């Protein structure tokens, strides 16, 4: 009920080859031409290259490698920087200083049955390293107003409408790109619990 089904990704119905072709078309139109080494450059020689930070979890590292390989195919150089979790989260994301000492960052969020954590991450009421901290830097005044209001709205239909509007704003800005959705399984005793 919280998911806005009208917010879709244009590439969803495209083949991988079509997505790479479209990405190359967009980069070409922006003036980024491939240099001799395959990395895109401007007419002044500035290279299109970024750093991608992640924690040293094998899933995160493999995701980073996949991003690196895909971006390389369209002429973007990516350097993967792997960090220990105690460094990457408190030192880079939740340092309380909004330094945003990263260009791209692989992170995971756990979405719950209620979108309150969406409001905690993108419309914080107070600064805290682990809760209510806008770690990802997406500041959109209208979205923040809606998210803050949604936290106190008791009418579920009104609250759902607020969250739908925020998802449209979020998708328009493409603040975060969801690359995968992982299902988590849990064991339970079926002699004690049903369904």
């Amino acid at each position: 009920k919280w998911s806005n089904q009208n917010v879709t990704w244009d590439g969803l119905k495209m083949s991988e080859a079509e997505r790479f072709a479209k990405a190359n078309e967009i980069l070409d139109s922006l003036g980024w031409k491939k240099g001799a080494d395959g990395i895109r450059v401007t007419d002044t020689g500035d290279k299109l290259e970024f750093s991608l930070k992640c924690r040293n979890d094998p899933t995160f590292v493999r995701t980073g490698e996949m991003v690196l390989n895909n971006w390389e195919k369209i002429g973007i150089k990516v350097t993967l920087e792997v960090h220990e979790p105690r460094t990457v989260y408190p030192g880079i994301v939740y340092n309380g200083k909004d330094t945003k000492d990263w260009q791209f960052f692989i992170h995971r969020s756990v979405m719950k049955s209620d979108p309150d954590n969406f409001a905690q991450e993108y419309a914080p009421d107070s600064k805290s390293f682990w809760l209510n901290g806008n770690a990802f830097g997406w500041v959109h005044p209208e979205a923040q107003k809606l998210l803050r209001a949604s936290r106190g709205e008791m009418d579920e239909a009104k609250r759902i409408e607020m969250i739908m509007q925020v998802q449209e704003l979020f998708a328009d800005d493409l603040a975060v790109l969801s690359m995968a959705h992982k299902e988590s399984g849990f064991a339970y005793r079926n002699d004690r619990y049903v369904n």
Side-chain angles (χ1 to χ4, degrees):
K1 67 186 175 185
W2 299 106
S3 176
N4 187 335
Q5 299 300 310
N6 296 320
V7 177
T8 58
W9 173 49
D10 292 339
L12 188 62
K13 296 179 182 176
M14 299 168 72
S15 70
E16 184 176 278
E18 289 171 325
R19 289 194 293 269
F20 280 119
K22 183 65 177 176
N24 278 310
E25 178 188 316
I26 291 169
L27 291 168
D28 287 342
S29 74
L30 294 172
W32 293 94
K33 306 299 178 201
K34 287 189 179 179
D37 59 359
I39 305 301
R40 291 181 177 272
V41 294
T42 63
D43 54 359
T44 59
D46 294 321
K47 289 191 175 192
L48 191 56
E49 55 187 337
F50 300 99
S51 65
L52 173 64
K53 293 188 180 194
C54 71
R55 59 187 252 190
N56 63 353
D57 178 288
T59 305
F60 286 60
V61 174
R62 180 64 188 125
T63 302
E65 291 168 349
M66 291 168 65
V67 169
L68 187 145
N69 290 334
N70 284 328
W71 284 8
E72 193 175 76
K73 291 177 184 176
I74 58 173
I76 300 173
K77 181 178 180 182
V78 178
T79 303
L80 185 61
E81 297 178 14
V82 180
H83 299 269
E84 195 270 335
R86 284 179 284 184
T87 301
V88 79
Y89 288 110
I92 297 172
V93 179
Y94 300 103
N95 62 15
K97 298 177 183 172
D98 288 332
T99 58
K100 307 300 180 280
D101 185 25
W102 46 274
Q103 293 174 308
F104 289 94
F105 182 68
I106 297 175
H107 173 68
R108 77 165 172 232
S109 288
V110 177
M111 295 306 287
K112 301 174 181 134
S113 57
D114 185 279
D116 187 58
N117 63 323
F118 191 51
Q120 289 175 350
E121 286 194 353
Y122 296 103
D125 290 323
S126 63
K127 277 229 185 258
S128 166
F129 290 174
W130 296 104
L131 183 63
N132 285 331
N134 190 343
F136 304 103
W138 183 62
V139 178
H140 191 292
E142 185 179 352
Q144 289 183 328
K145 180 180 176 184
L146 287 164
L147 285 168
R148 287 183 180 128
S150 78
R151 297 183 89 179
E153 179 57 63
M154 298 304 290
D155 183 319
E156 185 177 71
K158 288 180 182 175
R159 192 160 176 251
I160 288 172
E161 180 54 36
M162 291 174 180
I163 298 300
M164 297 296 158
Q165 290 176 42
V166 171
Q167 288 176 65
E168 290 172 10
L169 296 169
F170 195 80
D172 285 345
D173 282 2
L174 197 59
V176 172
L177 177 62
S178 296
M179 299 192 316
H181 294 280
K182 178 181 176 185
E183 295 231 4
S184 298
F186 298 91
Y188 68 95
R189 291 186 53 164
N190 60 8
D191 63 329
R192 293 191 181 180
Y193 304 101
V194 178
N195 296 327

